[in-house]
Amino acid sequence: MSEKPAVVEEEDDLLDALAHMRERGVRRLPVVRPDGALTGMLTLDNLLEALGEEIDGLVGVMRAQRTKELRLRS
């Protein structure tokens, strides 16, 4: 077992977790509280799903803005 295993804290955001995975070369990170207690497991699949939802939200904003601009021009 490694002396300092790769973990992510509950408060860390998605991009921080993704960066940590990339730096450590892992696809899974235990999620811990500040006291070090295990609360769950974060996987690369979890991150991809969450980031996909965020991208979908951004696409929705772009579509709404485009629709608004088209209405204003006509």
Side-chain angles (χ1 to χ4, degrees), residues 2-60:
S2 37
E3 190 174 304
K4 190 168 183 180
V7 297
V8 64
E9 294 190 11
E10 290 177 322
E11 308 83 37
D12 291 345
D13 66 29
L14 295 179
L15 296 178
D16 288 336
L18 184 59
H20 203 58
M21 284 179 167
R22 186 174 48 244
E23 290 166 5
R24 299 295 295 265
V26 297
R27 295 177 53 94
R28 293 169 197 83
L29 288 173
V31 180
V32 296
R33 291 192 305 238
D35 66 1
L38 180 68
T39 61
M41 185 69 68
L42 180 65
T43 68
L44 185 57
D45 289 350
N46 299 138
L47 283 176
L48 291 172
E49 184 178 342
L51 290 170
E53 290 171 6
E54 292 295 321
I55 289 170
D56 188 50
L58 291 171
V59 168

